[in-house]
């Protein structure tokens, strides 16, 4: 996990889609909620690295949440710069025995058609379950990616990107191979739990005999409208404010860091990105035994408002050289926020877009909870890897988290009108 950056405006995807899609639901209708009051949209945050754009800005009645829609077609796939949604599902599939390139292409065609319909607030083409019949699209997004093993399974080894080489081992990893990697990866996000589940179920049914689920994880963030404080940065399950330093899509180096250039290699990855996906369990019982001051020392920020320990507000630049009356650094050398800063890692940066998770309690009452870490970068060897290597060498937060699963996926650029995701790879 890493200190993250928080933009002020909605993403380009969300902004362009919101006005054009409202009122166009072909089968569903958005139900009003009697007596609902208008509350400002808050930022849904995570815990580390760069995180995606917030929904902060304007006062929006809760009844409008279902009307939000994101375009399926575009330069980039949805779900990367789209504002964080309240609910999320991450799922990996393996191609079935005997399935190859032809079956994979047909599957991506089906998945793309279903995603386009559901994101527009329409029913699935075949055998819709009606789970989301009464809801609008609720800012639903569906994002597709390819794992390292996909290319051997389909005979496309020569098209496999060098950037998709397996991640190095880290000393803090405690990875469950059964919940790691996969041939195909799908990210589903929405601001309504039923809408998100409906999409997940439709995509799983679309897989048919071509692919089977390898692993699946469920997550959540703050629901837009849950706070009346405009632009408030969210807290993670450790109670820390997260999302302080998100990059803005308007920044000059944003695309260079996050997306593969149009002239990049391989050509089918133009305008795409690479997603590192990790299930990071938070050892909350151990964390909560620390005093508030000790927790602040681990992070390097005040728990109350997210400001650096050297003072100011949440967005104030920390003074990394300041010492206290005892002669010690105010922000310790192993503080999480110090270690993860881009200027402490040769400029390495990534767009973080995580979900929190809670999967119950074990027999001793210990919560199985933490962060579904998803970060985006043009090259993971220049984004995730150098930061994680430094964290691995001495991050104070490492004593309170456990990396339990991992995956790296090549996420191609968005599909143009009339195309399906991955078509330039699968029909090259």
């Amino acid at each position: 996990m890493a200190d993250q950056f928080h933009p002020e405006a909605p993403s380009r995807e969300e902004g362009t889609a919101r006005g054009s899609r409202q009122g166009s639901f072909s089968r569903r209708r958005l139900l009003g909620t009697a007596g609902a009051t208008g509350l400002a949209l808050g930022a849904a945050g995570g815990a580390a690295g760069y995180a995606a754009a917030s929904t902060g800005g304007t006062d929006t009645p809760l009844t409008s949440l279902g009307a939000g829609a994101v375009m399926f077609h575009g330069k980039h796939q949805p779900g990367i710069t789209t504002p964080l949604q309240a609910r999320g599902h991450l799922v990996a599939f393996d191609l079935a025995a005997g399935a190859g390139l032809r079956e994979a292409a047909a599957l991506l065609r089906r998945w793309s058609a279903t995603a386009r319909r559901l994101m527009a607030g329409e029913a699935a083409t075949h055998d819709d379950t009606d789970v989301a019949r009464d809801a609008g699209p609720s800012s639903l997004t569906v994002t597709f990616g390819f794992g390292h093993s996909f290319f051997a399974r389909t005979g496309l080894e020569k098209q496999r990107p060098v950037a998709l080489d397996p991640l190095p081992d880290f000393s803090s990893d405690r990875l469950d191979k059964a919940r790691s990697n996969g041939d195909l990866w799908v990210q589903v996000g929405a601001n309504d739990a039923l809408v998100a589940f409906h999409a997940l179920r439709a995509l799983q049914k679309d897989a048919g005999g071509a692919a089977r689920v390898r692993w699946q994880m469920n997550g959540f963030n703050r629901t837009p409208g849950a706070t009346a404080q405009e632009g408030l940065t969210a807290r993670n399950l450790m109670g820390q404010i997260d999302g302080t330093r998100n990059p803005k899509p308007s920044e000059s180096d944003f695309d260079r860091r996050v997306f593969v250039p149009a002239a990049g290699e391989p050509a089918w990855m133009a305008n795409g990105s690479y997603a590192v996906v990790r299930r990071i369990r938070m050892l909350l019982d151990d964390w909560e035994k620390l005093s508030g001051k000790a927790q602040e020392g681990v992070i390097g920020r005040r728990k109350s408002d997210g400001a650096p320990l050297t003072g100011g507000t949440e967005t104030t630049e920390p003074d990394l050289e300041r010492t206290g009356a005892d002669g010690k650094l105010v922000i310790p050398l192993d503080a999480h926020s110090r270690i993860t800063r881009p200027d402490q890692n040769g400029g390495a940066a990534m767009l973080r877009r995580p979900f929190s998770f809670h999967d119950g309690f074990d027999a001793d009452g210990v919560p199985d909870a933490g962060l579904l870490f998803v970060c985006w970068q043009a090259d993971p060897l220049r984004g995730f890897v150098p930061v994680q290597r430094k964290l691995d060498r001495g991050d104070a937060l490492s004593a309170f988290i456990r990396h339990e699963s991992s995956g790296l996926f090549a996420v191609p650029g968005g599909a143009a009108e009339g195309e399906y995701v991955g078509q330039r790879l699968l029909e090259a």
Side-chain angles (χ1 to χ4, degrees):
M1 302 195 309
D3 200 32
Q4 54 184 38
F5 290 68
H6 179 74
E8 299 172 355
S11 74
R12 289 167 289 187
E13 291 171 356
E14 181 80 359
T16 57
R18 187 177 294 158
S20 63
R21 290 293 186 184
Q22 291 185 12
S24 65
F25 316 146
S26 67
R27 184 176 169 185
R28 303 173 186 158
R29 58 188 178 86
L30 183 64
L31 296 182
T33 302
T37 58
L39 296 179
L41 291 179
Y50 280 151
S54 80
T55 54
T58 59
D59 292 340
T60 305
L62 292 178
T63 51
S64 75
L65 291 179
V70 182
M71 295 289 291
F72 173 75
H73 295 292
K75 182 178 180 180
H76 309 297
Q77 285 196 60
I80 301 176
T81 61
T82 308
L84 283 169
Q85 300 111 316
R87 301 290 178 179
H89 300 293
L90 307 179
V91 56
F93 292 81
D94 285 334
L95 292 173
L101 178 58
R102 183 176 64 179
E103 290 78 12
L107 175 56
L108 266 296
R109 258 189 239 107
R110 292 195 299 274
W111 272 353
S112 296
T114 294
R116 180 191 60 77
R117 291 182 63 86
L118 297 183
M119 286 173 57
E122 301 171 4
T125 305
H126 302 293
D127 194 23
D128 190 273
T129 61
D130 284 340
V131 169
R133 180 184 181 93
D134 302 317
S138 301
S139 299
L140 173 69
T141 60
V142 182
T143 317
F144 302 105
F146 303 105
H148 184 276
S149 57
F150 175 83
F151 296 85
R153 297 293 306 275
T154 55
L156 294 172
E157 291 97 331
K158 292 183 179 179
Q159 293 294 325
R160 185 172 59 217
V162 174
L164 201 58
D165 286 352
L167 296 172
D169 294 329
F170 301 103
S171 64
S172 60
D173 285 353
R174 301 292 184 270
L175 303 183
D176 178 358
K177 293 183 178 180
R179 294 195 293 182
S180 298
N181 301 311
D183 294 342
L184 294 158
W185 176 69
V186 182
Q187 174 189 255
V188 175
N191 282 331
D192 178 79
L194 286 178
V195 169
F197 173 81
H198 178 247
L200 176 69
R201 177 62 174 146
L203 295 165
Q204 184 258 333
K205 289 170 65 178
D206 275 350
R212 57 180 177 81
V213 173
R214 177 181 176 88
W215 55 259
Q216 191 252 315
M217 302 173 189
N218 309 310
F220 58 89
N221 285 301
R222 170 183 288 145
T223 300
T227 173
Q229 299 183 49
E230 182 177 355
L232 183 67
T233 308
R235 296 181 185 272
N236 61 33
L237 299 189
M238 288 179 161
Q240 298 291 146
I241 285 182
D242 277 315
T244 300
R245 294 174 55 91
N246 282 347
K248 300 176 178 65
S250 59
E251 293 173 349
S252 60
D253 62 350
F254 181 89
D255 282 0
R256 176 179 61 81
R257 292 182 171 188
V258 176
F259 295 111
V260 176
E265 292 291 338
W268 66 267
M269 273 296 290
N271 301 314
S273 189
Y274 292 90
V276 173
V277 181
R278 299 207 133 204
R279 186 184 194 270
I280 303 176
R281 185 171 181 177
M282 295 177 173
L283 307 181
L284 294 178
D285 281 357
D286 294 338
W287 175 256
E288 291 162 6
K289 290 175 183 176
L290 297 181
S291 67
K293 183 176 181 180
Q295 290 178 357
E296 291 179 338
V298 169
I299 303 299
R301 291 184 175 275
R302 293 198 301 248
K303 194 170 185 179
S304 61
D305 59 6
L309 296 183
T310 48
T313 66
E314 182 185 347
T315 57
T316 300
E317 283 293 314
D319 182 352
L320 299 179
E321 304 303 320
R322 182 180 298 182
T323 56
D326 59 0
K328 297 180 180 179
L329 288 168
V330 175
I331 299 177
L333 287 173
D334 61 354
H336 186 72
S337 62
R338 176 193 287 269
I339 290 177
T340 57
R341 289 176 58 85
D343 59 10
Q344 301 293 305
N345 293 280
M350 48 197 160
L351 173 69
R352 283 197 66 272
R353 197 176 184 278
F355 293 93
S356 293
F357 74 87
H358 176 225
D359 291 335
F361 301 86
D362 66 18
D364 297 322
V366 176
D368 183 6
L371 193 73
L372 299 181
F373 175 95
V374 183
C375 73
W376 301 89
Q377 55 263 287
D379 183 351
L381 290 178
R382 297 182 179 180
F384 171 79
V385 171
V387 176
Q388 187 59 34
R389 276 180 172 154
K390 192 165 185 180
L391 289 171
D392 210 37
R393 290 195 296 267
D395 174 26
L397 187 60
S398 294
F400 304 97
I401 60 175
R402 182 184 299 146
H403 292 247
E404 295 185 334
S405 70
S406 179
L408 172 61
F409 302 95
V411 177
E417 293 281 352
E419 291 185 349
Y420 63 89
V421 173
Q423 183 170 336
R424 282 164 281 180
L425 167 66
L426 299 172
E427 297 186 11

